[in-house]
Amino acid sequence: MCESCGCAGVSHKSHVHGESGRLSVAVFSDILRHNNDQAAHNREHFTEHGVLALNLMSSPGSGKTSLLEATIDALGDVFRIGVIEGDLATENDARRIRAKGVPAVQITTGQACHLDAEMVHEALHQLDLASLDLLFIENVGNLVCPASFDLGQHANVALLSVTEGDDKPAKYPVLFRAADLILLSKSDLLEFIDDFSPIRAEQHIRALANPAKIFPVSARRPESLAPWLQWLRARWDAQRNGAPRAADTTAALPAK
Amino acid sequence: MHELALCQELIAEVTRIAAAHDAVGASRILVMLGPLSGVEAPLLKRAFLVARVGTVAEEATLEIEQQPLSVRCTVCGAKSEVTPTNLLCRTCGAWQVEILEGDALLLKSVELFLDTAAEDHPVEQKAAAETTSAQLGNG
């Protein structure tokens, strides 16, 4: 409500009250409007090109890059995959992905703790979206800041490694509430770790009112990836069927 | 850490609004924050002190209005005031709830200083400001 006249403000509309050299302007716009506009623009690009874009978020060291490597091994013949890697420094992760024969753009953020829509847009200039089906954006390892910045992705995937503690969703509610899928990574270690309970992890996630599916996965056990790969295929199908490309709509599943 | 990036976005928006109204500076910025916004009010205030230096908001105060967090249960229909780590329905305990409010990250209003020349012609200034404000609203 505008404090000068008591009127109700309307989103994205300003109005003014001139009083002795001062103006009170009611604004009601999202502080992240600039980022959100850029993200919407990125999303349009992805959708137009029939690319499913996924934002991977987790703590550092929870296995995002290893999961991507294993996913490329499993689906590299089915989908044309591209990766944007976000890290404070080094080209290491992009190198690991390129070694799998997949295009990867490394964004080094310096001291910035998250990717934003503009950084992703810049990285897109180095990727040929027309030759991709799936784009993974590996966010900076951080459970706080990435949650606030829309990148233009179609879905958020959060990793929670079983070495971290099953109460991480309660400690970082904003990020885990925003996740459309949660992967309990390094699940091959569950038999050695007696204080991580997948059931408790799920309870914490449901307490955030998040209905997301939760799959235990291990990059070292390819068979454990089946539900994740199936989710990717279903998500890609839904994306492609919901938004057909102008050209090249013939194949249900593209050949590499 | 992202509070500084947010302050820079906030000040960029305030700078645009100030320019649209031919203002020389901002005196008061009012922001509404919800508990699910992922932004902490004390950190935002501290970051603002750094981010405002050398901008139109250099003299401005940042005021933060906390938005309550409430949900409506899709199972029993009850409305509950909840906390960020426990959004469960307080009536029936279901997790199938929708957020009614609590994720705001809004710039609500800005108070601007007009330049001294404008004070002699408050009527014209107001009309000009309304024109630019309408343009801003369309943009």
Side-chain angles (χ1 to χ4, degrees):
Chain A
M1 185 183 283
C2 168
E3 295 197 350
S4 296
C5 71
C7 68
V10 181
S11 184
H12 288 259
K13 295 244 169 89
S14 307
H15 75 260
V16 298
H17 304 276
E19 279 171 30
S20 62
R22 292 208 184 198
L23 273 178
S24 178
V25 182
V27 187
F28 281 89
S29 71
D30 197 301
I31 294 176
L32 284 171
R33 184 158 67 95
H34 179 70
N35 184 76
N36 294 346
D37 289 349
Q38 179 67 64
H41 177 71
N42 292 351
R43 191 153 28 241
E44 270 172 36
H45 267 312
F46 298 140
T47 306
E48 269 168 24
H49 288 91
V51 174
L52 174 66
L54 299 173
N55 178 22
L56 263 62
M57 299 185 287
S58 78
S59 318
S62 63
K64 292 185 293 300
T65 312
S66 297
L67 176 77
L68 285 182
E69 288 172 319
T71 304
I72 293 164
D73 285 342
L75 287 183
D77 292 335
V78 184
F79 292 113
R80 297 168 300 171
I81 298 172
V83 177
I84 294 175
E85 287 284 347
D87 281 296
L88 267 62
T90 84
E91 187 92 3
N92 295 353
D93 284 359
R95 254 188 238 127
R96 284 171 61 183
I97 297 298
R98 285 182 203 125
K100 297 280 177 189
V102 159
V105 180
Q106 180 79 49
I107 303 175
T108 48
T109 60
Q111 290 308 306
C113 45
H114 58 271
L115 294 180
D116 66 28
E118 190 123 10
M119 294 180 203
V120 169
H121 186 250
E122 299 238 326
L124 290 183
H125 291 148
Q126 299 173 55
L127 279 174
D128 178 19
L129 283 182
S131 65
L132 293 183
D133 301 303
L134 268 179
L135 177 67
F136 292 104
I137 305 169
E138 185 182 329
N139 218 311
V140 176
N142 179 343
L143 288 176
V144 186
C145 312
S148 294
F149 294 83
D150 186 2
L151 307 179
Q153 73 277 359
H154 295 110
N156 286 318
V157 179
L159 273 69
L160 168 58
S161 68
V162 303
T163 53
E164 287 178 70
D166 50 33
D167 59 349
K168 275 282 158 78
K171 289 176 173 169
Y172 301 92
V174 176
L175 190 143
F176 282 98
R177 193 177 73 83
D180 299 294
L181 177 71
I182 293 157
L183 300 175
L184 305 180
S185 57
K186 307 187 185 180
S187 65
D188 54 312
L189 298 177
L190 265 177
E191 56 182 303
F192 307 108
I193 294 171
D194 53 12
D195 56 355
F196 186 100
S197 156
I199 292 167
R200 277 200 304 269
E202 176 168 1
Q203 285 165 349
H204 287 302
I205 290 160
R206 299 298 172 239
L208 305 177
N210 189 342
K213 287 188 171 152
I214 303 165
F215 302 140
V217 296
S218 165
R220 292 168 181 237
R221 306 263 166 88
E223 68 282 2
S224 73
L225 299 176
W228 153 241
L229 302 176
Q230 200 180 347
W231 182 90
L232 276 176
R233 284 169 183 265
R235 204 58 215 227
W236 188 86
D237 281 343
Q239 172 74 17
R240 184 60 68 102
N241 294 334
R245 284 200 278 196
D248 184 25
T249 50
T250 46
L253 282 181
K256 200 180 179 183
Chain B
M1 275 304 288
H2 63 302
E3 276 80 4
L4 189 58
L6 281 171
C7 272
Q8 284 160 348
E9 294 252 353
L10 176 65
I11 286 172
E13 186 72 15
V14 169
T15 303
R16 278 191 287 274
I17 293 165
H21 294 92
D22 289 327
V24 292
S27 55
R28 181 172 168 270
I29 297 169
L30 178 63
V31 162
M32 182 160 73
L33 279 188
L36 293 181
S37 67
V39 179
E40 290 303 315
L43 290 181
L44 193 67
K45 285 202 156 194
R46 254 187 279 170
F48 180 75
L49 297 180
V50 176
R52 71 178 181 176
V53 174
T55 73
V56 292
E58 180 135 30
E59 310 270 304
T61 55
L62 176 66
E63 288 176 31
I64 295 173
E65 184 184 313
Q66 293 283 357
Q67 188 187 35
L69 173 54
S70 64
V71 298
R72 192 200 320 276
C73 179
T74 60
V75 177
C76 78
K79 190 184 156 183
S80 317
E81 298 280 321
V82 295
T83 56
T85 54
N86 182 0
L87 300 175
L88 302 179
C89 172
R90 296 299 190 260
T91 302
C92 75
W95 58 266
Q96 295 90 338
V97 298
E98 54 189 26
I99 311 290
L100 293 174
E101 56 176 348
D103 55 2
L105 184 53
L106 277 182
L107 170 57
K108 282 188 81 177
S109 66
V110 183
E111 218 171 83
L112 300 170
F113 293 121
L114 301 177
D115 61 34
T116 45
E119 282 183 27
D120 300 332
H121 309 284
V123 177
E124 288 87 335
Q125 175 61 31
K126 191 179 174 188
E130 271 164 359
T131 309
T132 45
S133 137
Q135 286 162 351
L136 195 74
N138 292 334

